[in-house]
Amino acid sequence: MAVLQGDIKFPESLQRRLDENYDVVFEHDVENLKRRRDEILAIVVYYNKPSKEKLNELIDDLPNVRAIVNHGVGVNNIDLEAAKARGVQVSNLSGAEVSVADFAFALILAAARNVVQGHARSHNPMFTKIDFDWLGKEVSESAIGIVGMGRIGTEVAKRATQGFNMKVMYYNRKRRPLDEEISVRATYCESLNELLGNVDFVVVTVPGGKETSKMFGWDQFCAMKETAMFINVSRGSVVDQEALVRALKEKKIAGAALDVTDPEPLPCDHPLLTMDNVLITPHIASSTATTRKLMFEVFLQNVDAALQGKELPNRVI
């Protein structure tokens, strides 16, 4: 039995499979939830991301919960220590690394080569003459810095070396094994600032959470080259957005391409939305039919394991 958070339902195809294969209780159905609290074995968290406090309340109110199954890669919306103290397993999803790495390069290319601005100019009825002095930034054989060399970061590195012959530098909490570095031709940096000052593109793929909250602030943007571009496909929380706005205005960096912001979406009057050197997309890096199907299958494997009392395949704790 699973508890689905809030009023937002899964896509129709997923909801149908859940209804056909599981006994589902919705968190907002308070009376039903109270009546069947002893039967509930797993809490399912979808994209609406309830607060940590709300999840802790559910853990406390549901005595037989075995697991929290998170339909997403990040688990910063879950109080892992509280779950661990209760003996509740937590899982996340895998399978998004290929599409997210692809999208990171879509952002790199779009930002570097003025794709969005060029599209807008071409559709503008006032556009009558091509400006041959309007130049983009070369991607091939430039230097890329990857912050967070997990599954996604490694896929970004593969594309950088194999597709664009880029020099790859990376910063991670722990250095990767030498054979992994060699396979993607990546050089480890002992400090974040060492990386920032030596690359043309900074790509962030770290998880969200306390450890990475506002990891990129004024000092980090000032440490980057003035010609460098900042690419974020991780979480909006890793960036101090006021510092990013200031860095862009004062030309401490050349531009930014963001698939994630804080909040999402940004308020319509946010300064990032008015800047010509900023590209923003609505958290769609993993949004392909193939990836979503794969993530869905992994999600169901974790649900099945939770209801059977087994260890979750994608266990985080």
Side-chain angles (χ1 to χ4, degrees):
M1 185 173 301
V3 179
L4 294 176
Q5 293 298 307
D7 297 321
I8 300 177
K9 292 187 177 183
F10 287 94
E12 185 177 346
S13 59
L14 174 51
Q15 189 65 54
R16 185 165 57 250
R17 285 185 64 176
L18 286 171
D19 293 339
E20 290 172 353
N21 295 284
Y22 306 96
D23 188 1
V24 177
V25 176
F26 287 89
E27 181 265 327
H28 62 267
D29 188 354
V30 178
E31 293 303 317
N32 194 28
L33 184 61
K34 287 181 179 179
R35 186 170 62 253
R36 306 183 66 181
R37 61 190 294 271
D38 293 341
E39 304 172 46
I40 295 170
L41 303 179
I43 298 173
V44 173
V45 179
Y46 194 47
Y47 286 109
N48 43 324
K49 304 293 186 189
S51 67
K52 290 183 178 180
E53 292 74 19
K54 183 62 179 177
L55 277 174
N56 287 346
E57 287 178 15
L58 281 169
I59 292 175
D60 291 338
D61 291 342
L62 305 174
N64 295 314
V65 162
R66 300 168 177 169
I68 299 174
V69 180
N70 192 48
H71 193 280
V73 177
V75 292
N76 52 300
N77 56 306
I78 299 170
D79 187 336
L80 298 179
E81 292 301 319
K84 185 176 181 179
R86 269 284 311 274
V88 174
Q89 296 185 72
V90 176
S91 69
N92 68 349
L93 289 185
S94 60
E97 51 269 21
V98 168
S99 61
V100 174
D102 284 351
F103 197 79
F105 261 91
L107 292 180
I108 289 171
L109 289 165
R113 300 303 304 274
N114 298 315
V115 171
V116 175
Q117 300 94 322
H119 173 83
R121 286 193 183 189
S122 297
H123 282 256
N124 187 334
M126 303 300 293
F127 177 69
T128 59
K129 184 180 179 181
I130 295 175
D131 182 358
F132 288 102
D133 292 325
W134 188 42
L135 305 176
K137 183 178 179 64
E138 199 76 48
V139 175
S140 292
E141 300 187 4
S142 61
I144 185 171
I146 301 169
V147 182
M149 187 67 94
R151 292 192 299 262
I152 295 172
T154 299
E155 289 294 330
V156 172
K158 288 179 184 177
R159 285 151 181 75
T161 55
Q162 297 172 15
F164 295 89
N165 197 30
M166 300 175 82
K167 176 183 177 182
V168 176
M169 304 177 74
Y170 80 97
Y171 173 75
N172 208 44
R173 285 181 298 178
K174 294 182 180 179
R175 184 170 182 172
R176 307 302 298 180
L178 182 60
D179 62 332
E180 292 184 17
E181 290 182 353
I182 293 172
S183 70
V184 293
R185 308 203 315 257
T187 300
Y188 177 65
C189 296
E190 295 285 349
S191 70
L192 178 58
N193 276 12
E194 178 188 351
L195 176 146
L196 296 177
N198 288 286
V199 297
D200 304 299
F201 300 93
V202 175
V203 179
V204 186
T205 63
V206 298
K210 289 182 180 179
E211 292 184 356
T212 59
S213 179
K214 296 190 176 181
M215 180 180 188
F216 281 86
W218 177 249
D219 290 344
Q220 287 69 43
F221 292 123
C222 288
M224 292 171 60
K225 294 180 179 180
E226 291 184 355
T227 55
M229 292 186 164
F230 178 76
I231 316 296
N232 189 9
V233 291
S234 59
R235 290 291 182 270
S237 61
V238 307
V239 178
D240 180 339
Q241 288 182 166
E242 290 185 5
L244 175 58
V245 169
R246 181 184 171 193
L248 289 162
K249 285 183 176 179
E250 297 186 17
K251 301 187 185 304
K252 296 296 182 182
I253 61 174
L258 314 170
D259 185 50
V260 287
T261 57
D262 188 15
E264 293 177 345
L266 289 173
C268 61
D269 60 348
H270 197 282
L272 285 174
L273 298 175
T274 65
M275 295 182 170
D276 291 337
N277 57 346
V278 178
L279 192 162
I280 299 177
T281 53
H283 206 147
I284 56 173
S286 66
S287 298
T288 70
T290 299
T291 293
R292 289 296 170 85
K293 182 179 179 181
L294 176 60
M295 293 173 72
F296 171 42
E297 296 302 331
V298 172
F299 162 76
L300 289 184
Q301 291 171 15
N302 283 287
V303 174
D304 287 338
L307 300 185
Q308 294 169 27
K310 299 179 180 178
E311 181 169 343
L312 307 184
N314 285 65
R315 182 174 180 174
V316 176
I317 60 165

